[in-house]
Amino acid sequence: MARIVQKYGGTSVGSVERIKHVASRIQRSKAEGHELVVVVSAMGKSTDELVSLATEITNTPSKREMDMLLSTGEQVTISLLTMALQEMGVQAISLTGWQAGMKTETSHGNARITDIKTKRIEAELSQGNVVIVAGFQGVSGSEITTLGRGGSDTTAVALAAALKASRCDIYTDVTGVFTTDPRYVQKARKLHSISYDEMLEMANLGAGVLHPRAVEFAKNYEVPLMVASSMVEEVGTMIEEEVTMEQNLVVRGIAFENDVTKVTVRGLPNRLNTLSKLFTALSENQVNVDIIIQNQYDDEHVNISFSITQSTLKETLAVLQNAQEELQFTDIYFEEELAKVSIVGSGMVSNPGVAAQMFAVLADNEVAIKMVSTSEIKVSVVVEEADMVLAVEMLHNAFQLAEEVEEAEIEAM
Ligand code: ASP
Ligand code: MG
């Protein structure tokens, strides 16, 4: 008997039929003798629908009321799923975030989990119940909070850590983690496994399969994570510390995202505090900056470029214009419709020349690189959005990501 946390995403519980299907999967796991805690998302696109209801009333809803509203989505699912289980004769109980002891910070809309009081869940488990927990929500004092969009993954992993579960299985609408997004690249291949660090980079770089904070939790508490489909019976992808399989691959995956804008602030004074003044002004106004490049063009002046998401351009320009006198720049230049393409792999640490190969592949395909940033296990480039898919395909070929490693070879490693 193992203690297992399972999580089912919005698509997997998108209709009454699907909820019944999930219930029968849970019944099966329960019959195998496991102790089960199941975290669910809101049905289908219902969180989006709640958001649009709010925007029909106001463009500036209070964050507290948004949490009050959005937390109802998951509450619908937990009750219906529990009824479906009870209907099948499976003993089950639903718990909201606060009933499950999910304590968070006060910040509405993006609260971090601070502590989980597992007493209630433990008591329900020892009564023989399957415990169905509402994802994405918590409590701060007596206030309902939410963990940020996509946060149900984090609820599940955090619960797995707190309950010392032997694994956390994330069931979703894809069959696992792929080398790149299969909706864009036909040759994308499902990975047998990926390390926490690689998955964290992939998640942060726009691979939507897992919430980045969930991966962070899994890494910090060493929770073995599995991503698999709730609809297709197929082996998923394991996310764990030591990934010994497919060691021959230096690059394990390619992440990409569009809606990137590059902003260049020109003619700034070449002083020690220029960077700090510029980015303090931006951060004080909650502008999130990604890649940063500084160029000196004469003794007195520098240009600083940075990338942001498209949707924050207006705000960014307003912040800069307000601070022009203080920052003493001459003008601002920006380029829209860009995309970020990133190659990720732990093998890069010990293999020089990966970035060089990436640049060569892009140059050979006449893809212009606008910005570059690297970490130990990733290289990101900003390119024109029109080149994005081509760039990903070419890199996927060049780093041989489509090639299946023989099972025998894996066993032998
Ligand atoms: N229902 C929430 C959302 O759509 C949380 C989640 O599904 O993870 O963002
Ligand atoms: Mg999700």
Side-chain angles (χ1 to χ4, degrees), residues 339-410:
K340 183 165 76 166
V341 174
S342 309
I343 56 174
V344 175
S346 313
M348 280 182 210
V349 182
S350 49
N351 279 282
V354 179
Q357 192 184 347
M358 180 187 202
F359 302 152
V361 169
L362 295 175
D364 288 348
N365 288 282
E366 287 173 21
V367 174
I369 301 172
K370 311 269 177 184
M371 304 178 100
V372 179
S373 104
T374 65
S375 79
E376 276 195 316
I377 64 163
K378 73 123 204 268
V379 183
S380 298
V381 295
V382 172
V383 300
E384 304 253 347
E385 199 172 289
D387 290 333
M388 178 179 79
V389 176
L390 171 76
V392 175
E393 277 171 348
M394 293 305 141
L395 292 167
H396 200 267
N397 286 340
F399 289 105
Q400 301 171 336
L401 292 184
E403 281 149 46
E404 184 70 60
V405 181
E406 292 294 321
E407 290 294 329
E409 226 174 294
I410 294 167

Side-chain angles (χ1 to χ4, degrees), residues 41-42 47 74 136 149-152:
S41 290
T47 308
E74 273 67 16
F136 169 62
R149 295 303 305 271
S152 292

Side-chain angles (χ1 to χ4, degrees), residues 9 21 39 48 61 80 107 120 133 137 141 152 176 189 227 271 309 320 324 336 360 364:
H21 175 70
V39 174
D48 290 334
L80 292 177
S107 51
R120 176 74 188 271
V133 180
Q137 56 178 262
S152 292
R189 180 175 59 84
V227 175
R271 295 203 196 107
T309 48
L320 291 172
Q324 181 158 20
E336 296 179 272
D364 288 348

Side-chain angles (χ1 to χ4, degrees), residues 256-379:
F256 54 93
E257 58 191 351
N258 53 12
D259 291 334
V260 174
T261 297
K262 175 182 172 184
V263 177
T264 303
V265 184
R266 298 197 280 207
L268 287 150
N270 183 14
R271 295 203 196 107
L272 275 175
N273 64 357
T274 295
L275 272 167
S276 96
K277 271 166 89 175
L278 173 62
F279 290 101
T280 304
L282 292 167
S283 74
E284 277 173 353
N285 290 281
Q286 269 74 50
V287 173
N288 224 331
V289 168
D290 185 16
I291 302 175
I292 299 171
I293 293 174
Q294 176 176 251
N295 283 317
Q296 185 177 339
Y297 69 89
D298 65 28
D299 282 350
E300 268 98 67
H301 297 94
V302 293
N303 290 344
I304 295 174
S305 301
F306 55 88
S307 64
I308 52 172
T309 48
Q310 175 75 43
S311 59
T312 59
L313 177 63
K314 242 170 110 182
E315 209 184 321
T316 306
L317 294 177
V319 172
L320 291 172
Q321 268 138 16
N322 281 335
Q324 181 158 20
E325 218 167 292
E326 208 210 318
L327 297 171
Q328 298 171 30
F329 59 84
T330 49
D331 62 351
I332 307 167
Y333 169 85
F334 59 87
E335 272 179 275
E336 296 179 272
E337 289 176 22
L338 303 178
K340 183 165 76 166
V341 174
S342 309
I343 56 174
V344 175
S346 313
M348 280 182 210
V349 182
S350 49
N351 279 282
V354 179
Q357 192 184 347
M358 180 187 202
F359 302 152
V361 169
L362 295 175
D364 288 348
N365 288 282
E366 287 173 21
V367 174
I369 301 172
K370 311 269 177 184
M371 304 178 100
V372 179
S373 104
T374 65
S375 79
E376 276 195 316
I377 64 163
K378 73 123 204 268
V379 183

Side-chain angles (χ1 to χ4, degrees), residues 129-292:
N129 280 311
V130 175
V131 184
I132 311 293
V133 180
F136 169 62
Q137 56 178 262
V139 65
S140 173
S142 56
E143 296 295 312
I144 294 176
T145 54
T146 63
L147 311 182
R149 295 303 305 271
S152 292
D153 293 342
T154 306
T155 305
V157 180
L159 273 177
L163 292 163
K164 303 195 169 49
S166 52
R167 16 181 256 269
C168 182
D169 297 345
I170 308 275
Y171 292 106
T172 174
D173 52 356
V174 291
T175 53
V177 180
F178 282 70
T179 50
T180 194
D181 192 333
R183 288 171 300 183
Y184 291 82
V185 179
Q186 231 197 343
K187 286 188 191 160
R189 180 175 59 84
K190 189 171 66 186
L191 291 162
H192 303 280
S193 61
I194 181 169
S195 72
Y196 293 125
D197 285 328
E198 290 169 330
M199 190 64 233
L200 196 54
E201 289 280 13
M202 293 285 280
N204 277 321
L205 292 167
V209 61
L210 277 176
H211 198 236
R213 234 191 268 165
V215 185
E216 233 172 77
F217 249 105
K219 175 179 157 65
N220 291 342
Y221 295 91
E222 293 183 29
V223 178
L225 260 184
M226 190 194 72
V227 175
S229 163
S230 65
M231 295 158 225
V232 190
E233 296 292 329
E234 215 180 281
V235 184
T237 302
M238 281 303 302
I239 300 141
E240 55 204 344
E241 189 58 58
E242 284 299 322
V243 177
T244 45
M245 298 173 195
E246 302 176 72
Q247 254 169 351
N248 52 330
L249 294 181
V250 174
V251 174
R252 200 174 310 266
I254 305 178
F256 54 93
E257 58 191 351
N258 53 12
D259 291 334
V260 174
T261 297
K262 175 182 172 184
V263 177
T264 303
V265 184
R266 298 197 280 207
L268 287 150
N270 183 14
R271 295 203 196 107
L272 275 175
N273 64 357
T274 295
L275 272 167
S276 96
K277 271 166 89 175
L278 173 62
F279 290 101
T280 304
L282 292 167
S283 74
E284 277 173 353
N285 290 281
Q286 269 74 50
V287 173
N288 224 331
V289 168
D290 185 16
I291 302 175
I292 299 171

